[in-house]
Amino acid sequence: MIKHSKKIIFLLIITVLIVILKFTTSDSSQKQSKEPINLPISKTAFFMGTVIDINIYEPVSDDVFEDVFEILNSIENKMSLNLNDSEITKINANSGSAEVKVSPETFYVINRGKYYSSLSNGVFDISIGPLVKLWDIGSENARVPSQTEIDNTIKKINYKNILLDESNQSVKLKNYDMMLDLGAIAKGYAADEIIKYLESKNISSAIISLGGNIYAMGVKPNSNPWKIGIQNPFSDRGEHLGIIQVKNKSVVTSGIYERYLEKEGIRYHHILNPFTGYPVENSLASVSIISDKSIDGDGLSTSVFSMDVEEGHKLIETLEGVDAIFVTKNNEIFITSGIESNFRITDDNFKLETLKK
Ligand code: ADP
Ligand code: MG
């Protein structure tokens, strides 16, 4: 009996010791979490054919990043041209025959895409799919097509034949050989959705980058504006030619350096002219658009890149709350009036110029 109670006391002491040990370790881990966290908290992933960088300048849990990546995954599943069961693939497969009911998200992006197609008089055109597929720039099958192939393909492009039914949320492509491609606008939409989500989590300071499409959310933790580097279109990624200071803005750049095919010393980049069927050829090397909404920045950067400096500058000046930085192949930089005091050149190979009236 005595032996037995000794055993019980021994077990009790062990249990108490384990509890104390557990308590002290969990206490110390609590203490650890109160120590300063290195900011930003950053995570990288790959969606929509590009590298996604999320940097949050506040303590946040891993769930936030998981939710962000889920948002990207869901947009990609709806809007990708390369997935067999995306809504865009369904619309394309039913071209010339049936209207397709889509999610409000896809309907919205197509609607905005059609708006920019019309605003740019068709140099931007989201029905450019057949031509993008023909060149396939950025893939290992990229090639320079024959003139006959180009002539046959550009006939298929016309955003006016994208028929949208707002009340049914349905989309129909008028002709059987049409194909939508939201590649020029979907990343901007995705950036806006991520920002909306972060706001819903009361996060107020973050930088997100979707393959160079940047959203600088809120301000820096010290309340100063963000300083965003504008990519030098002639050098490798990462080197910038200037800096723009912004608060809560999207900064989207389209340029000749993003994706290209090189054949016999000629570089063919990935923004195509729907009228000639060839890569856009003008004085521009890149255009950056500064705006509140990234879908607008993305739509406009590709549109204005296709337009050239004078016309593009004129267009951007008419748009409230939107600014642009134009970089030409001659290293000239032109900016719109709204950012004269926020933009600074950091590489003296470039010169700020003003447009002759
Ligand atoms: P990135 O995708 O490199 O950020 P953009 O936003 O400028 O660059 O979009 C380029 C993509 O848009 C191309 O890869 C192609 O899918 C599509 N595209 C190419 N030319 C046009 C055009 N004229 N109008 C609309 N979309 C285009
Ligand atoms: Mg774009």
Side-chain angles (χ1 to χ4, degrees):
M1 179 69 197
I2 292 177
K3 219 176 165 191
H4 194 67
S5 59
K6 257 190 180 170
K7 206 174 169 187
I8 290 178
I9 289 170
F10 177 73
L11 279 175
L12 258 172
I13 290 172
I14 293 285
T15 318
V16 168
L17 273 176
I18 288 174
V19 169
I20 289 173
L21 203 70
K22 246 194 144 164
F23 185 74
T24 49
T25 50
S26 72
D27 189 46
S28 74
S29 73
Q30 261 175 7
K31 266 189 202 138
Q32 262 172 15
S33 72
K34 276 181 192 152
E35 275 171 17
I37 297 167
N38 280 335
L39 293 176
I41 305 176
S42 305
K43 284 211 193 305
T44 300
F46 194 83
F47 286 100
M48 308 172 88
T50 198
V51 177
I52 314 286
D53 267 311
I54 309 290
N55 306 284
I56 300 179
Y57 287 74
E58 292 164 36
V60 281
S61 70
D62 273 355
D63 300 356
V64 167
F65 291 97
E66 273 163 33
D67 289 349
V68 166
F69 295 143
E70 188 39 47
I71 289 170
L72 288 163
N73 191 35
S74 144
I75 295 173
E76 181 166 24
N77 285 340
K78 288 190 186 103
M79 302 182 200
S80 170
L81 188 60
N82 305 315
L83 297 176
N84 288 333
D85 55 358
S86 76
E87 293 183 327
I88 292 302
T89 302
K90 257 178 237 158
I91 294 169
N92 293 340
N94 284 288
S95 60
S97 64
E99 56 175 36
V100 176
K101 197 169 158 50
V102 294
S103 62
E105 297 80 32
T106 301
F107 191 87
Y108 168 74
V109 176
I110 295 174
N111 202 9
R112 292 307 284 165
K114 194 176 169 187
Y115 168 76
Y116 282 115
S117 304
S118 129
L119 188 73
S120 68
N121 293 318
V123 287
F124 176 91
D125 191 319
I126 55 165
S127 69
I128 200 160
L131 190 63
V132 172
K133 283 275 180 209
L134 181 66
W135 283 84
D136 221 358
I137 291 172
S139 98
E140 52 194 32
N141 304 320
R143 66 185 179 95
V144 181
S146 72
Q147 190 60 50
T148 318
E149 286 175 302
I150 286 187
D151 292 342
N152 288 335
T153 307
I154 55 179
K155 286 189 222 148
K156 304 172 183 173
I157 307 169
N158 190 346
Y159 67 92
K160 290 178 186 153
N161 294 331
I162 306 170
L163 311 175
L164 299 179
D165 183 340
E166 181 97 49
S167 58
N168 276 331
Q169 298 277 295
S170 68
V171 184
K172 185 182 169 188
L173 304 181
K174 197 170 168 195
N175 304 323
Y176 77 95
D177 51 7
M178 288 178 70
M179 199 192 281
L180 293 184
D181 174 2
L182 299 181
I185 195 166
K187 277 185 281 171
Y189 169 71
D192 291 336
E193 288 301 296
I194 295 171
I195 296 304
K196 223 197 269 174
Y197 167 77
L198 295 180
E199 277 167 0
S200 79
K201 293 282 156 188
N202 292 321
I203 292 163
S204 58
S205 186
I207 298 274
I208 65 172
S209 164
L210 290 77
N213 283 19
I214 293 168
Y215 204 107
M217 184 197 193
V219 288
K220 281 165 71 170
N222 65 7
S223 300
N224 287 338
W226 296 106
K227 289 180 180 156
I228 305 298
I230 300 298
Q231 162 83 22
N232 176 343
F234 308 109
S235 78
D236 291 340
R237 272 187 167 279
E239 283 174 54
H240 56 248
L241 55 78
I243 285 174
I244 175 101
Q245 297 205 38
V246 291
K247 291 179 183 174
N248 217 27
K249 293 277 179 200
S250 156
V251 182
V252 176
T253 302
S254 281
I256 53 174
Y257 58 88
E258 286 289 342
R259 267 176 282 158
Y260 54 81
L261 156 73
E262 206 154 84
K263 259 266 135 66
E264 289 158 11
I266 305 176
R267 219 179 239 205
Y268 300 92
H269 65 78
H270 74 313
I271 299 176
L272 303 168
N273 179 328
F275 299 103
T276 65
Y278 280 86
V280 165
E281 198 48 66
N282 58 33
S283 72
L284 282 167
S286 72
V287 177
S288 301
I289 301 287
I290 296 97
S291 59
D292 292 330
K293 277 195 163 185
S294 200
I295 191 168
D296 297 330
D298 205 0
L300 284 169
S301 72
T302 313
S303 300
V304 165
F305 182 84
S306 308
M307 284 179 178
D308 218 339
V309 184
E310 280 82 8
E311 208 190 333
H313 194 277
K314 219 195 246 165
L315 171 67
I316 299 299
E317 289 288 20
T318 66
L319 302 175
E320 185 72 30
V322 182
D323 280 286
I325 300 166
F326 303 84
V327 182
T328 71
K329 291 171 183 158
N330 297 327
N331 289 15
E332 304 147 308
I333 298 180
F334 299 90
I335 61 174
T336 51
S337 51
I339 50 170
E340 274 161 12
S341 55
N342 315 0
F343 177 71
R344 170 167 69 84
I345 293 176
T346 50
D347 179 338
D348 31 284
N349 291 310
F350 293 87
K351 246 187 111 214
L352 195 62
E353 302 282 353
T354 48
L355 282 169
K356 289 173 199 84
K357 292 252 165 81

